[in-house]
Structures are given as structure tokens and as C-alpha cells.
Amino acid sequence: MSEIIKKPRGTVDYFYEDASVLISIKNKLLSLAERYGFSFCTVPTFEESRLFHRSVGESSDIVRKETFDLVNKGDRSYTLRPEFTASINRAVIENKFFSSPSLPLKFSYFDKAFRYERPQTGRYREFHQFGVEIIDEKIDLSSQVETLLLAIDACKMILGDIEVKAKINFLGSVTSRDNYKKALYSFFADKIQYMCEDCKRRLETNPLRILDCKVDEDRKFIQDAPKITDYLTEEDREEFEQIKKLLLKLNVSFQVDDNLVRGLDYYTGFVFELYSDEKLGALAGGGKYSSLMKELGGPEFEGIGFSIGIERLILSLIGKGSLDYKKSLDYFVIDLRKNGDGLIIAKKLRDKGYKVSLPSFSRSMKGAIKMADRENAKNVIIVDSDMTYKLKDMSTREQKDLTFEEILGL
Ligand code: AMP
């Protein structure tokens, strides 16, 4: 016997109810984004590797060790997208959307991202993200607050009563961040020998990322580290205060977390993460970026965006929320004539918008009725061999005779 081929590690199959949950979440989130004025977009699954190296940052873990780099077939190297911000900004520059008279640009997406990570619960190598990007000459206060509002709204829309916590921080301008990085470097220099291998590397590449370390033994060093707030300019501090004030005015509860630095290098200014079950990691992450467009060869525009991990949303729902996405049918057509008359009726009902399915000809009447129950069919139409038609209401089990014209009138 040949060996059974299994799916690659860290990937997920979606079938039946899982697939219905996925498609239903997708539709709900995209229509919510539309209500906030975003237009849906899709970008290529793979891009030139240098796009992610330049934007996400050489020092970020995503680029250092977590990208799926494709086998080089020509003179270019390509990478499966680990996230969407870089691609959307690339598309805005390439298509010159930035010269549009209606700024800010507002795009939403729902698609797969790929990261070569060690798979565990809530962490996959191929996963779905829903998110948005707002791009403008200057990202004002209202765009920043609205982005966080939409991220919270999106999680709540799917999670219902399950609590969603928002953690926020302010990373400051490039200059403030550079000063802060220097302070962190000096602080950790004599402690780094006792810290994990990743932190040793981060000290040289991007000391900010040390703050994000999840290793328990490292936390005791991190808690006494200098705080970013001490390195913000007056202007940065004022902006953060105004964001907090506006969030309070809008009744959004949040917690300021000094150690929130985000995994990608391009963030400056306001950043946030959303959590439901902390064990799963962040449900969503986002923030403002100021120099990404310029680094990618575009104008000096700014952007803000977030991304929600759909698999983590689904995991948060399991056992708590209602995952009631059962397939159902309006009509199940059993064709005992086996001559295609059933197909004609099914086609006419589908043209009217009904959900209709048929069993195979080989199924017995009893087997077909059992199948109609399993498929949650509301009604069964029997196309009988004596040239009559019967309609069976599957909830009351009542059956009545119908003429062909009456069936067409359903
Ligand atoms: P990030 O771009 O890293 O901030 O990711 C945004 C969100 O995507 C996270 O908050 C997670 O919900 C989700 N996410 C990131 N990486 C993974 C992964 N490897 N598997 C599943 N979800 C992920």
C-alpha cells in the first residue's frame, strides 16, 4: 500500500462546519470594514523577498528566521507573505494610489499569511489574517483611534460576550526610539550573558525586541529596564495623551503596557495589541508607521493598520461562544425516476435563490431521507416514479402531493 500523504506541519484543513465558520467570519468582518469605509483588496501570495526585508525589518524575528523563501528559479528571490502591510504599501506606490484626491486610502483584507514558526496551539505556519491599513500624508488622531475601535469591534463581533482587552503603548518618533534603544543597550549590556540566545541576538540587532521576550527567567531583568515614556519627545507625549483622552471619551477601556513593542520594525508612534485568552498570545496587533512608504521608494506618507489572527479568534470561541454554523438546505430533491427530472426542479429552485441538493441515484428512499436529515434539509421533494411529486416538510414530517406547476411556484 502506498504511504498516506499528510498536510504539512502547521497548516489547517477547513471542511464542513470549520469551513462554514471560516467563511462566515470572513463575510462578517469584511462587511464590518465596509461599514467603516474600507475597500477590500487582495495582494499577491508571494512578493520579492527584498520587500519584506526592507519593510518588516532585517532585525525582526519574522524576517530573520520565519519567512518561507521560495526556491529561486530565476534571478529574483521570492517570499511567501508573512503579513500584509508591506504588500499593501508596495501596491499603493506601484499603482500611484497615493495621488488619489480621496485621502486617506482605506483598505481591508482577509487572506492567508505564512511564517516558518514552531507550530503550537494558536501558532501555525499558514494562517488567516483579517486587517486594515489607512494611508495618508499624515495619520491624524481620529484615524489612529478609529483603527483601534474597528479592531475591537471586529473581535467583539465574532466573540460576543467574551472579554477583549486592549493594551496600548507609544513608541515615538525614529529619533526617540534610537535614544531609547541606546539606553536599553547600556542597561542590558551587563545582564545579557544571563539571558536567552534570542535576547543576545536582539541586543545587537534591535534591543527593543528584548522587552517582548517570553522567557520567564528573562522577565526579572526586563521589569527594571528603562521605560520608553522617558525617551519620548514633548510632541510624542502630547499625542499619546490625546489618544488616551479620546479613547476614554469613546468608552474604550485599555491598559498602557510599557513593554509592548510589536514584532515588526516599521512601527513608530501609537501601537496596540488585543487579547482574550492570554495563553493564546495576542488576538490582534497593530500600530502606526511613518517611514515605511519612503523606505519602499514612495512619498513620505504615513500609515496605520492592524491584523487579527483568525485561527486565534476561532480558538477563543471554542467551548465559550456559539459556533452555530451548521449547514442547511431549503430543499433536498430525491429523484426516483432517475431520468434528470429532479435536476430540472433543483435548477429552477436554485435560480430562485434556494439552497438545494440531491442524493445520488443509487441511494434508497430510506437512505436518502436519512441524508436529508443529516444535511438539515427543511423540505424534501420526491420526484416519484409514478410521475407524481410529493413535498415533505422535514420538521413536521407531513407529506403532500404537488403538481409540477405547484413546485415551480414554490
Ligand atoms: P503580527 O503581524 O505578528 O502582529 O500578527 C497579527 C496577528 O496575527 C496576531 O495577533 C495573531 O493573532 C496572528 N498570528 C501571527 N502569527 C501567527 C501564527 N504563526 N499563527 C496563527 N496566528 C498568527
Side-chain angles (χ1 to χ4, degrees), residues 330-334 341-358 379-383 391 402 404-410:
D330 297 306
Y331 293 99
F332 195 66
V333 181
I334 304 174
D341 281 0
L343 281 177
I344 295 172
I345 289 171
K347 168 83 172 67
K348 292 202 182 294
L349 292 170
R350 285 177 186 139
D351 287 347
K352 291 185 169 182
Y354 291 119
K355 290 187 274 179
V356 187
S357 189
L358 303 92
N379 302 283
V380 165
I381 293 176
I382 300 162
V383 182
L391 179 71
L402 287 188
F404 186 64
E405 286 67 35
E406 281 170 326
I407 287 182
L408 296 188
L410 285 173

PDB file of all heavy atoms in Angstrom, residues 330-334 341-358 379-383 391 402 404-410:
ATOM      1  N   ASP A 330     -32.606  24.267   1.810  1.00  0.00           N
ATOM      2  CA  ASP A 330     -34.052  24.537   1.723  1.00  0.00           C
ATOM      3  C   ASP A 330     -34.772  23.305   1.175  1.00  0.00           C
ATOM      4  O   ASP A 330     -35.836  22.947   1.656  1.00  0.00           O
ATOM      5  CB  ASP A 330     -34.288  25.755   0.819  1.00  0.00           C
ATOM      6  CG  ASP A 330     -33.654  27.000   1.408  1.00  0.00           C
ATOM      7  OD1 ASP A 330     -33.954  27.308   2.567  1.00  0.00           O
ATOM      8  OD2 ASP A 330     -32.822  27.631   0.719  1.00  0.00           O
ATOM      9  N   TYR A 331     -34.182  22.698   0.148  1.00  0.00           N
ATOM     10  CA  TYR A 331     -34.831  21.525  -0.486  1.00  0.00           C
ATOM     11  C   TYR A 331     -33.811  20.433  -0.755  1.00  0.00           C
ATOM     12  O   TYR A 331     -32.679  20.714  -1.144  1.00  0.00           O
ATOM     13  CB  TYR A 331     -35.486  21.930  -1.814  1.00  0.00           C
ATOM     14  CG  TYR A 331     -36.660  22.856  -1.619  1.00  0.00           C
ATOM     15  CD1 TYR A 331     -36.504  24.239  -1.783  1.00  0.00           C
ATOM     16  CD2 TYR A 331     -37.910  22.361  -1.265  1.00  0.00           C
ATOM     17  CE1 TYR A 331     -37.559  25.100  -1.590  1.00  0.00           C
ATOM     18  CE2 TYR A 331     -38.982  23.222  -1.068  1.00  0.00           C
ATOM     19  CZ  TYR A 331     -38.797  24.591  -1.226  1.00  0.00           C
ATOM     20  OH  TYR A 331     -39.852  25.430  -1.027  1.00  0.00           O
ATOM     21  N   PHE A 332     -34.261  19.190  -0.555  1.00  0.00           N
ATOM     22  CA  PHE A 332     -33.462  18.021  -0.908  1.00  0.00           C
ATOM     23  C   PHE A 332     -34.319  17.245  -1.910  1.00  0.00           C
ATOM     24  O   PHE A 332     -35.447  16.850  -1.569  1.00  0.00           O
ATOM     25  CB  PHE A 332     -33.200  17.200   0.362  1.00  0.00           C
ATOM     26  CG  PHE A 332     -32.111  16.182   0.219  1.00  0.00           C
ATOM     27  CD1 PHE A 332     -30.788  16.560   0.024  1.00  0.00           C
ATOM     28  CD2 PHE A 332     -32.396  14.827   0.315  1.00  0.00           C
ATOM     29  CE1 PHE A 332     -29.775  15.624  -0.082  1.00  0.00           C
ATOM     30  CE2 PHE A 332     -31.391  13.883   0.206  1.00  0.00           C
ATOM     31  CZ  PHE A 332     -30.078  14.276   0.010  1.00  0.00           C
ATOM     32  N   VAL A 333     -33.845  17.104  -3.122  1.00  0.00           N
ATOM     33  CA  VAL A 333     -34.698  16.556  -4.188  1.00  0.00           C
ATOM     34  C   VAL A 333     -34.322  15.095  -4.466  1.00  0.00           C
ATOM     35  O   VAL A 333     -33.205  14.810  -4.914  1.00  0.00           O
ATOM     36  CB  VAL A 333     -34.562  17.397  -5.486  1.00  0.00           C
ATOM     37  CG1 VAL A 333     -35.473  16.831  -6.582  1.00  0.00           C
ATOM     38  CG2 VAL A 333     -34.905  18.859  -5.212  1.00  0.00           C
ATOM     39  N   ILE A 334     -35.257  14.169  -4.163  1.00  0.00           N
ATOM     40  CA  ILE A 334     -34.996  12.736  -4.378  1.00  0.00           C
ATOM     41  C   ILE A 334     -35.675  12.318  -5.685  1.00  0.00           C
ATOM     42  O   ILE A 334     -36.902  12.379  -5.810  1.00  0.00           O
ATOM     43  CB  ILE A 334     -35.545  11.904  -3.200  1.00  0.00           C
ATOM     44  CG1 ILE A 334     -34.945  12.414  -1.877  1.00  0.00           C
ATOM     45  CG2 ILE A 334     -35.246  10.420  -3.395  1.00  0.00           C
ATOM     46  CD1 ILE A 334     -35.513  11.763  -0.632  1.00  0.00           C
ATOM     47  N   ASP A 341     -35.265  14.520 -14.195  1.00  0.00           N
ATOM     48  CA  ASP A 341     -36.360  15.448 -13.846  1.00  0.00           C
ATOM     49  C   ASP A 341     -36.037  16.180 -12.536  1.00  0.00           C
ATOM     50  O   ASP A 341     -36.371  17.355 -12.370  1.00  0.00           O
ATOM     51  CB  ASP A 341     -37.685  14.680 -13.687  1.00  0.00           C
ATOM     52  CG  ASP A 341     -38.301  14.350 -15.041  1.00  0.00           C
ATOM     53  OD1 ASP A 341     -37.685  14.734 -16.074  1.00  0.00           O
ATOM     54  OD2 ASP A 341     -39.371  13.713 -15.076  1.00  0.00           O
ATOM     55  N   GLY A 342     -35.403  15.449 -11.612  1.00  0.00           N
ATOM     56  CA  GLY A 342     -35.012  16.058 -10.333  1.00  0.00           C
ATOM     57  C   GLY A 342     -34.031  17.204 -10.534  1.00  0.00           C
ATOM     58  O   GLY A 342     -34.128  18.241  -9.861  1.00  0.00           O
ATOM     59  N   LEU A 343     -33.111  17.027 -11.486  1.00  0.00           N
ATOM     60  CA  LEU A 343     -32.121  18.083 -11.758  1.00  0.00           C
ATOM     61  C   LEU A 343     -32.788  19.347 -12.277  1.00  0.00           C
ATOM     62  O   LEU A 343     -32.393  20.462 -11.937  1.00  0.00           O
ATOM     63  CB  LEU A 343     -31.116  17.594 -12.812  1.00  0.00           C
ATOM     64  CG  LEU A 343     -30.006  16.666 -12.328  1.00  0.00           C
ATOM     65  CD1 LEU A 343     -29.147  16.230 -13.508  1.00  0.00           C
ATOM     66  CD2 LEU A 343     -29.137  17.387 -11.295  1.00  0.00           C
ATOM     67  N   ILE A 344     -33.839  19.147 -13.120  1.00  0.00           N
ATOM     68  CA  ILE A 344     -34.549  20.313 -13.679  1.00  0.00           C
ATOM     69  C   ILE A 344     -35.210  21.105 -12.547  1.00  0.00           C
ATOM     70  O   ILE A 344     -35.109  22.339 -12.472  1.00  0.00           O
ATOM     71  CB  ILE A 344     -35.612  19.858 -14.717  1.00  0.00           C
ATOM     72  CG1 ILE A 344     -34.887  19.231 -15.906  1.00  0.00           C
ATOM     73  CG2 ILE A 344     -36.529  20.999 -15.131  1.00  0.00           C
ATOM     74  CD1 ILE A 344     -35.792  18.569 -16.924  1.00  0.00           C
ATOM     75  N   ILE A 345     -35.859  20.374 -11.608  1.00  0.00           N
ATOM     76  CA  ILE A 345     -36.522  21.052 -10.483  1.00  0.00           C
ATOM     77  C   ILE A 345     -35.475  21.757  -9.606  1.00  0.00           C
ATOM     78  O   ILE A 345     -35.649  22.920  -9.216  1.00  0.00           O
ATOM     79  CB  ILE A 345     -37.344  20.030  -9.676  1.00  0.00           C
ATOM     80  CG1 ILE A 345     -38.560  19.629 -10.511  1.00  0.00           C
ATOM     81  CG2 ILE A 345     -37.772  20.598  -8.324  1.00  0.00           C
ATOM     82  CD1 ILE A 345     -39.342  18.493  -9.968  1.00  0.00           C
ATOM     83  N   ALA A 346     -34.373  21.038  -9.330  1.00  0.00           N
ATOM     84  CA  ALA A 346     -33.321  21.638  -8.489  1.00  0.00           C
ATOM     85  C   ALA A 346     -32.815  22.932  -9.120  1.00  0.00           C
ATOM     86  O   ALA A 346     -32.645  23.954  -8.450  1.00  0.00           O
ATOM     87  CB  ALA A 346     -32.173  20.655  -8.320  1.00  0.00           C
ATOM     88  N   LYS A 347     -32.601  22.912 -10.430  1.00  0.00           N
ATOM     89  CA  LYS A 347     -32.083  24.090 -11.129  1.00  0.00           C
ATOM     90  C   LYS A 347     -33.065  25.263 -10.993  1.00  0.00           C
ATOM     91  O   LYS A 347     -32.665  26.401 -10.710  1.00  0.00           O
ATOM     92  CB  LYS A 347     -31.849  23.725 -12.602  1.00  0.00           C
ATOM     93  CG  LYS A 347     -31.587  24.881 -13.539  1.00  0.00           C
ATOM     94  CD  LYS A 347     -30.113  25.280 -13.486  1.00  0.00           C
ATOM     95  CE  LYS A 347     -29.722  26.298 -14.541  1.00  0.00           C
ATOM     96  NZ  LYS A 347     -30.310  27.589 -14.368  1.00  0.00           N
ATOM     97  N   LYS A 348     -34.371  24.962 -11.165  1.00  0.00           N
ATOM     98  CA  LYS A 348     -35.375  26.044 -11.101  1.00  0.00           C
ATOM     99  C   LYS A 348     -35.427  26.640  -9.689  1.00  0.00           C
ATOM    100  O   LYS A 348     -35.562  27.852  -9.521  1.00  0.00           O
ATOM    101  CB  LYS A 348     -36.755  25.516 -11.512  1.00  0.00           C
ATOM    102  CG  LYS A 348     -36.788  25.155 -12.995  1.00  0.00           C
ATOM    103  CD  LYS A 348     -38.183  25.138 -13.544  1.00  0.00           C
ATOM    104  CE  LYS A 348     -38.241  24.736 -15.006  1.00  0.00           C
ATOM    105  NZ  LYS A 348     -37.619  25.688 -15.917  1.00  0.00           N
ATOM    106  N   LEU A 349     -35.330  25.774  -8.672  1.00  0.00           N
ATOM    107  CA  LEU A 349     -35.361  26.283  -7.292  1.00  0.00           C
ATOM    108  C   LEU A 349     -34.089  27.083  -6.978  1.00  0.00           C
ATOM    109  O   LEU A 349     -34.143  28.114  -6.307  1.00  0.00           O
ATOM    110  CB  LEU A 349     -35.509  25.120  -6.297  1.00  0.00           C
ATOM    111  CG  LEU A 349     -36.863  24.396  -6.344  1.00  0.00           C
ATOM    112  CD1 LEU A 349     -36.815  23.113  -5.505  1.00  0.00           C
ATOM    113  CD2 LEU A 349     -37.982  25.307  -5.826  1.00  0.00           C
ATOM    114  N   ARG A 350     -32.951  26.602  -7.466  1.00  0.00           N
ATOM    115  CA  ARG A 350     -31.695  27.345  -7.229  1.00  0.00           C
ATOM    116  C   ARG A 350     -31.743  28.716  -7.900  1.00  0.00           C
ATOM    117  O   ARG A 350     -31.256  29.709  -7.337  1.00  0.00           O
ATOM    118  CB  ARG A 350     -30.497  26.564  -7.781  1.00  0.00           C
ATOM    119  CG  ARG A 350     -30.125  25.393  -6.910  1.00  0.00           C
ATOM    120  CD  ARG A 350     -28.996  24.606  -7.534  1.00  0.00           C
ATOM    121  NE  ARG A 350     -28.725  23.404  -6.789  1.00  0.00           N
ATOM    122  CZ  ARG A 350     -28.457  22.223  -7.349  1.00  0.00           C
ATOM    123  NH1 ARG A 350     -28.429  22.101  -8.666  1.00  0.00           N
ATOM    124  NH2 ARG A 350     -28.226  21.176  -6.602  1.00  0.00           N
ATOM    125  N   ASP A 351     -32.368  28.755  -9.114  1.00  0.00           N
ATOM    126  CA  ASP A 351     -32.476  30.047  -9.806  1.00  0.00           C
ATOM    127  C   ASP A 351     -33.255  31.057  -8.965  1.00  0.00           C
ATOM    128  O   ASP A 351     -33.090  32.264  -9.111  1.00  0.00           O
ATOM    129  CB  ASP A 351     -33.165  29.879 -11.169  1.00  0.00           C
ATOM    130  CG  ASP A 351     -32.244  29.201 -12.174  1.00  0.00           C
ATOM    131  OD1 ASP A 351     -31.030  29.098 -11.877  1.00  0.00           O
ATOM    132  OD2 ASP A 351     -32.730  28.764 -13.243  1.00  0.00           O
ATOM    133  N   LYS A 352     -34.134  30.547  -8.099  1.00  0.00           N
ATOM    134  CA  LYS A 352     -34.903  31.466  -7.229  1.00  0.00           C
ATOM    135  C   LYS A 352     -34.150  31.808  -5.957  1.00  0.00           C
ATOM    136  O   LYS A 352     -34.665  32.519  -5.100  1.00  0.00           O
ATOM    137  CB  LYS A 352     -36.221  30.801  -6.842  1.00  0.00           C
ATOM    138  CG  LYS A 352     -37.178  30.639  -7.982  1.00  0.00           C
ATOM    139  CD  LYS A 352     -38.454  30.084  -7.436  1.00  0.00           C
ATOM    140  CE  LYS A 352     -39.537  30.150  -8.496  1.00  0.00           C
ATOM    141  NZ  LYS A 352     -40.788  29.656  -7.963  1.00  0.00           N
ATOM    142  N   GLY A 353     -32.955  31.220  -5.796  1.00  0.00           N
ATOM    143  CA  GLY A 353     -32.139  31.560  -4.628  1.00  0.00           C
ATOM    144  C   GLY A 353     -32.176  30.526  -3.515  1.00  0.00           C
ATOM    145  O   GLY A 353     -31.572  30.741  -2.461  1.00  0.00           O
ATOM    146  N   TYR A 354     -32.895  29.409  -3.709  1.00  0.00           N
ATOM    147  CA  TYR A 354     -32.939  28.390  -2.659  1.00  0.00           C
ATOM    148  C   TYR A 354     -31.665  27.558  -2.653  1.00  0.00           C
ATOM    149  O   TYR A 354     -31.017  27.383  -3.690  1.00  0.00           O
ATOM    150  CB  TYR A 354     -34.125  27.442  -2.880  1.00  0.00           C
ATOM    151  CG  TYR A 354     -35.468  28.084  -2.649  1.00  0.00           C
ATOM    152  CD1 TYR A 354     -36.416  28.171  -3.678  1.00  0.00           C
ATOM    153  CD2 TYR A 354     -35.796  28.582  -1.391  1.00  0.00           C
ATOM    154  CE1 TYR A 354     -37.653  28.754  -3.468  1.00  0.00           C
ATOM    155  CE2 TYR A 354     -37.034  29.168  -1.172  1.00  0.00           C
ATOM    156  CZ  TYR A 354     -37.961  29.254  -2.218  1.00  0.00           C
ATOM    157  OH  TYR A 354     -39.173  29.824  -2.002  1.00  0.00           O
ATOM    158  N   LYS A 355     -31.351  26.994  -1.453  1.00  0.00           N
ATOM    159  CA  LYS A 355     -30.219  26.053  -1.345  1.00  0.00           C
ATOM    160  C   LYS A 355     -30.768  24.648  -1.561  1.00  0.00           C
ATOM    161  O   LYS A 355     -31.667  24.214  -0.822  1.00  0.00           O
ATOM    162  CB  LYS A 355     -29.570  26.147   0.041  1.00  0.00           C
ATOM    163  CG  LYS A 355     -28.812  27.444   0.247  1.00  0.00           C
ATOM    164  CD  LYS A 355     -28.037  27.442   1.543  1.00  0.00           C
ATOM    165  CE  LYS A 355     -28.937  27.912   2.676  1.00  0.00           C
ATOM    166  NZ  LYS A 355     -28.268  27.925   3.978  1.00  0.00           N
ATOM    167  N   VAL A 356     -30.276  23.987  -2.597  1.00  0.00           N
ATOM    168  CA  VAL A 356     -30.864  22.699  -2.995  1.00  0.00           C
ATOM    169  C   VAL A 356     -29.752  21.681  -3.239  1.00  0.00           C
ATOM    170  O   VAL A 356     -28.712  21.994  -3.809  1.00  0.00           O
ATOM    171  CB  VAL A 356     -31.665  22.856  -4.315  1.00  0.00           C
ATOM    172  CG1 VAL A 356     -32.415  21.567  -4.640  1.00  0.00           C
ATOM    173  CG2 VAL A 356     -32.628  24.024  -4.228  1.00  0.00           C
ATOM    174  N   SER A 357     -29.980  20.438  -2.807  1.00  0.00           N
ATOM    175  CA  SER A 357     -29.027  19.377  -3.104  1.00  0.00           C
ATOM    176  C   SER A 357     -29.785  18.093  -3.441  1.00  0.00           C
ATOM    177  O   SER A 357     -30.989  17.983  -3.143  1.00  0.00           O
ATOM    178  CB  SER A 357     -28.117  19.174  -1.889  1.00  0.00           C
ATOM    179  OG  SER A 357     -27.064  18.316  -2.220  1.00  0.00           O
ATOM    180  N   LEU A 358     -29.108  17.138  -4.092  1.00  0.00           N
ATOM    181  CA  LEU A 358     -29.749  15.867  -4.473  1.00  0.00           C
ATOM    182  C   LEU A 358     -28.841  14.716  -4.040  1.00  0.00           C
ATOM    183  O   LEU A 358     -27.619  14.854  -4.114  1.00  0.00           O
ATOM    184  CB  LEU A 358     -29.922  15.756  -5.994  1.00  0.00           C
ATOM    185  CG  LEU A 358     -30.685  16.819  -6.747  1.00  0.00           C
ATOM    186  CD1 LEU A 358     -29.741  17.892  -7.250  1.00  0.00           C
ATOM    187  CD2 LEU A 358     -31.412  16.203  -7.928  1.00  0.00           C
ATOM    188  N   ASN A 379     -37.049  20.815   3.633  1.00  0.00           N
ATOM    189  CA  ASN A 379     -38.076  20.095   2.859  1.00  0.00           C
ATOM    190  C   ASN A 379     -37.432  19.075   1.947  1.00  0.00           C
ATOM    191  O   ASN A 379     -36.305  19.271   1.496  1.00  0.00           O
ATOM    192  CB  ASN A 379     -38.843  21.064   1.945  1.00  0.00           C
ATOM    193  CG  ASN A 379     -39.502  22.172   2.721  1.00  0.00           C
ATOM    194  OD1 ASN A 379     -40.533  21.963   3.336  1.00  0.00           O
ATOM    195  ND2 ASN A 379     -38.892  23.350   2.700  1.00  0.00           N
ATOM    196  N   VAL A 380     -38.209  18.009   1.675  1.00  0.00           N
ATOM    197  CA  VAL A 380     -37.769  17.043   0.676  1.00  0.00           C
ATOM    198  C   VAL A 380     -38.792  17.049  -0.451  1.00  0.00           C
ATOM    199  O   VAL A 380     -40.006  17.074  -0.187  1.00  0.00           O
ATOM    200  CB  VAL A 380     -37.652  15.631   1.296  1.00  0.00           C
ATOM    201  CG1 VAL A 380     -37.569  14.569   0.214  1.00  0.00           C
ATOM    202  CG2 VAL A 380     -36.440  15.555   2.206  1.00  0.00           C
ATOM    203  N   ILE A 381     -38.330  17.061  -1.696  1.00  0.00           N
ATOM    204  CA  ILE A 381     -39.242  16.894  -2.831  1.00  0.00           C
ATOM    205  C   ILE A 381     -38.972  15.517  -3.414  1.00  0.00           C
ATOM    206  O   ILE A 381     -37.811  15.194  -3.722  1.00  0.00           O
ATOM    207  CB  ILE A 381     -39.016  17.981  -3.903  1.00  0.00           C
ATOM    208  CG1 ILE A 381     -39.426  19.352  -3.342  1.00  0.00           C
ATOM    209  CG2 ILE A 381     -39.812  17.660  -5.176  1.00  0.00           C
ATOM    210  CD1 ILE A 381     -39.145  20.502  -4.283  1.00  0.00           C
ATOM    211  N   ILE A 382     -40.015  14.701  -3.503  1.00  0.00           N
ATOM    212  CA  ILE A 382     -39.830  13.373  -4.090  1.00  0.00           C
ATOM    213  C   ILE A 382     -40.372  13.411  -5.516  1.00  0.00           C
ATOM    214  O   ILE A 382     -41.555  13.730  -5.743  1.00  0.00           O
ATOM    215  CB  ILE A 382     -40.557  12.292  -3.256  1.00  0.00           C
ATOM    216  CG1 ILE A 382     -39.982  12.305  -1.818  1.00  0.00           C
ATOM    217  CG2 ILE A 382     -40.394  10.906  -3.875  1.00  0.00           C
ATOM    218  CD1 ILE A 382     -40.857  11.628  -0.800  1.00  0.00           C
ATOM    219  N   VAL A 383     -39.498  13.154  -6.473  1.00  0.00           N
ATOM    220  CA  VAL A 383     -39.893  13.096  -7.884  1.00  0.00           C
ATOM    221  C   VAL A 383     -40.185  11.611  -8.133  1.00  0.00           C
ATOM    222  O   VAL A 383     -39.286  10.819  -8.363  1.00  0.00           O
ATOM    223  CB  VAL A 383     -38.755  13.621  -8.776  1.00  0.00           C
ATOM    224  CG1 VAL A 383     -39.161  13.620 -10.246  1.00  0.00           C
ATOM    225  CG2 VAL A 383     -38.339  15.023  -8.334  1.00  0.00           C
ATOM    226  N   LEU A 391     -44.163  16.697  -1.555  1.00  0.00           N
ATOM    227  CA  LEU A 391     -43.365  17.639  -0.760  1.00  0.00           C
ATOM    228  C   LEU A 391     -43.450  17.206   0.699  1.00  0.00           C
ATOM    229  O   LEU A 391     -44.549  17.093   1.251  1.00  0.00           O
ATOM    230  CB  LEU A 391     -43.925  19.061  -0.929  1.00  0.00           C
ATOM    231  CG  LEU A 391     -43.207  20.138  -0.129  1.00  0.00           C
ATOM    232  CD1 LEU A 391     -41.815  20.413  -0.690  1.00  0.00           C
ATOM    233  CD2 LEU A 391     -44.016  21.440  -0.138  1.00  0.00           C
ATOM    234  N   LEU A 402     -48.055  17.328  -4.895  1.00  0.00           N
ATOM    235  CA  LEU A 402     -47.991  18.618  -5.603  1.00  0.00           C
ATOM    236  C   LEU A 402     -47.980  18.361  -7.102  1.00  0.00           C
ATOM    237  O   LEU A 402     -47.498  17.311  -7.547  1.00  0.00           O
ATOM    238  CB  LEU A 402     -46.681  19.345  -5.265  1.00  0.00           C
ATOM    239  CG  LEU A 402     -46.473  19.977  -3.897  1.00  0.00           C
ATOM    240  CD1 LEU A 402     -45.171  20.783  -3.911  1.00  0.00           C
ATOM    241  CD2 LEU A 402     -47.618  20.905  -3.536  1.00  0.00           C
ATOM    242  N   PHE A 404     -46.568  19.658 -10.933  1.00  0.00           N
ATOM    243  CA  PHE A 404     -45.320  20.265 -11.396  1.00  0.00           C
ATOM    244  C   PHE A 404     -45.423  21.794 -11.315  1.00  0.00           C
ATOM    245  O   PHE A 404     -44.479  22.468 -10.894  1.00  0.00           O
ATOM    246  CB  PHE A 404     -45.044  19.807 -12.839  1.00  0.00           C
ATOM    247  CG  PHE A 404     -43.707  20.282 -13.344  1.00  0.00           C
ATOM    248  CD1 PHE A 404     -42.526  19.850 -12.748  1.00  0.00           C
ATOM    249  CD2 PHE A 404     -43.606  21.128 -14.450  1.00  0.00           C
ATOM    250  CE1 PHE A 404     -41.284  20.266 -13.201  1.00  0.00           C
ATOM    251  CE2 PHE A 404     -42.378  21.563 -14.905  1.00  0.00           C
ATOM    252  CZ  PHE A 404     -41.207  21.127 -14.281  1.00  0.00           C
ATOM    253  N   GLU A 405     -46.601  22.350 -11.668  1.00  0.00           N
ATOM    254  CA  GLU A 405     -46.789  23.810 -11.633  1.00  0.00           C
ATOM    255  C   GLU A 405     -46.651  24.333 -10.199  1.00  0.00           C
ATOM    256  O   GLU A 405     -46.086  25.394  -9.963  1.00  0.00           O
ATOM    257  CB  GLU A 405     -48.172  24.206 -12.185  1.00  0.00           C
ATOM    258  CG  GLU A 405     -48.326  24.113 -13.679  1.00  0.00           C
ATOM    259  CD  GLU A 405     -48.259  22.685 -14.182  1.00  0.00           C
ATOM    260  OE1 GLU A 405     -48.737  21.768 -13.461  1.00  0.00           O
ATOM    261  OE2 GLU A 405     -47.678  22.474 -15.273  1.00  0.00           O
ATOM    262  N   GLU A 406     -47.208  23.544  -9.246  1.00  0.00           N
ATOM    263  CA  GLU A 406     -47.105  23.992  -7.842  1.00  0.00           C
ATOM    264  C   GLU A 406     -45.630  24.001  -7.372  1.00  0.00           C
ATOM    265  O   GLU A 406     -45.220  24.878  -6.620  1.00  0.00           O
ATOM    266  CB  GLU A 406     -47.943  23.071  -6.931  1.00  0.00           C
ATOM    267  CG  GLU A 406     -49.428  23.402  -7.000  1.00  0.00           C
ATOM    268  CD  GLU A 406     -50.313  22.378  -6.307  1.00  0.00           C
ATOM    269  OE1 GLU A 406     -49.983  21.165  -6.312  1.00  0.00           O
ATOM    270  OE2 GLU A 406     -51.334  22.809  -5.764  1.00  0.00           O
ATOM    271  N   ILE A 407     -44.867  23.033  -7.859  1.00  0.00           N
ATOM    272  CA  ILE A 407     -43.450  23.014  -7.488  1.00  0.00           C
ATOM    273  C   ILE A 407     -42.751  24.258  -8.051  1.00  0.00           C
ATOM    274  O   ILE A 407     -41.973  24.923  -7.373  1.00  0.00           O
ATOM    275  CB  ILE A 407     -42.763  21.727  -8.004  1.00  0.00           C
ATOM    276  CG1 ILE A 407     -43.235  20.548  -7.151  1.00  0.00           C
ATOM    277  CG2 ILE A 407     -41.234  21.852  -7.958  1.00  0.00           C
ATOM    278  CD1 ILE A 407     -42.630  19.241  -7.477  1.00  0.00           C
ATOM    279  N   LEU A 408     -43.099  24.593  -9.288  1.00  0.00           N
ATOM    280  CA  LEU A 408     -42.488  25.792  -9.896  1.00  0.00           C
ATOM    281  C   LEU A 408     -42.874  27.049  -9.141  1.00  0.00           C
ATOM    282  O   LEU A 408     -42.152  28.053  -9.172  1.00  0.00           O
ATOM    283  CB  LEU A 408     -42.876  25.912 -11.374  1.00  0.00           C
ATOM    284  CG  LEU A 408     -42.385  24.783 -12.284  1.00  0.00           C
ATOM    285  CD1 LEU A 408     -42.662  25.124 -13.749  1.00  0.00           C
ATOM    286  CD2 LEU A 408     -40.887  24.535 -12.104  1.00  0.00           C
ATOM    287  N   GLY A 409     -44.006  27.007  -8.450  1.00  0.00           N
ATOM    288  CA  GLY A 409     -44.466  28.193  -7.710  1.00  0.00           C
ATOM    289  C   GLY A 409     -43.883  28.277  -6.300  1.00  0.00           C
ATOM    290  O   GLY A 409     -44.212  29.198  -5.555  1.00  0.00           O
ATOM    291  N   LEU A 410     -43.066  27.314  -5.905  1.00  0.00           N
ATOM    292  CA  LEU A 410     -42.545  27.311  -4.528  1.00  0.00           C
ATOM    293  C   LEU A 410     -41.672  28.544  -4.272  1.00  0.00           C
ATOM    294  O   LEU A 410     -41.027  29.041  -5.178  1.00  0.00           O
ATOM    295  CB  LEU A 410     -41.708  26.050  -4.277  1.00  0.00           C
ATOM    296  CG  LEU A 410     -42.508  24.754  -4.086  1.00  0.00           C
ATOM    297  CD1 LEU A 410     -41.574  23.558  -4.013  1.00  0.00           C
ATOM    298  CD2 LEU A 410     -43.368  24.804  -2.826  1.00  0.00           C
TER     299      LEU A 410
END
